[in-house]
Amino acid sequence: MSNARAYRAAWLAAIVVVALGFGIALVKVFNENLVFFYTPTQILSGDVPQGEKTYRLGGMVEVGSVQREADSLKVSFVVTDLNNKVPVQFNGILPDLFKEGTGVVADGQWDGTTFVASEVLAKHDEDYMPPGVAQ
């Protein structure tokens, strides 16, 4: 009987170890895929990780700040968190939801004076409805 009990205990211990390993791996993958962004205040105060080359800036597009270059995809705008402002430069096609006074998240690099974005994502509020559904 003691051999059967030891055998069951060994299987139970193996199952616990495998489940624990799976749980740790799941938490690690989840944490790596979380998307964080830094506010203009954090960027200007130097609270961003110094080792990272790119990171995300998030905030509101300041009303009246969007300037497009003629015959080009270059656009500049200001992102604010209502405390501080960061100028952003982007060369590309902006998302349809991008407009002044709305939320935005931009991937890119801070060069000390301007955030040079490689990608711009527009955020929408909970009242957003796709154009086809709104009609």
Side-chain angles (χ1 to χ4, degrees):
M1 244 340 170
S2 74
N3 282 344
R5 183 175 279 165
Y7 184 73
R8 273 189 253 135
W11 266 106
L12 182 62
I15 290 171
V16 168
V17 168
V18 168
L20 187 60
F22 180 74
I24 290 171
L26 186 65
V27 167
K28 183 177 179 188
V29 167
F30 180 73
N31 282 337
E32 288 175 358
N33 288 324
L34 284 178
V35 177
F36 294 109
F37 62 81
Y38 296 96
T39 65
T41 299
Q42 291 172 312
I43 288 175
L44 292 173
S45 65
D47 290 344
V48 295
Q50 297 303 316
E52 292 185 36
K53 294 185 179 185
T54 64
Y55 47 88
R56 289 187 166 184
L57 163 69
M60 303 293 285
V61 178
E62 187 173 61
V63 175
S65 70
V66 177
Q67 297 177 352
R68 299 174 191 270
E69 217 174 272
D71 298 328
S72 173
L73 294 177
K74 291 183 182 179
V75 64
S76 62
F77 54 94
V78 175
V79 174
T80 181
D81 60 5
L82 306 179
N83 291 320
N84 286 296
K85 301 173 184 180
V86 169
V88 177
Q89 289 182 349
F90 176 64
N91 188 12
I93 299 172
L94 292 168
D96 291 338
L97 293 176
F98 178 89
K99 61 182 175 181
E100 295 177 346
T102 62
V104 68
V105 175
D107 286 334
Q109 298 175 331
W110 174 248
D111 68 7
T113 58
T114 303
F115 191 84
V116 181
S118 58
E119 182 179 16
V120 174
L121 307 168
K123 298 183 343 180
H124 59 77
D125 62 14
E126 58 277 352
D127 297 329
Y128 171 73
M129 219 180 273
V133 175
Q135 295 172 355

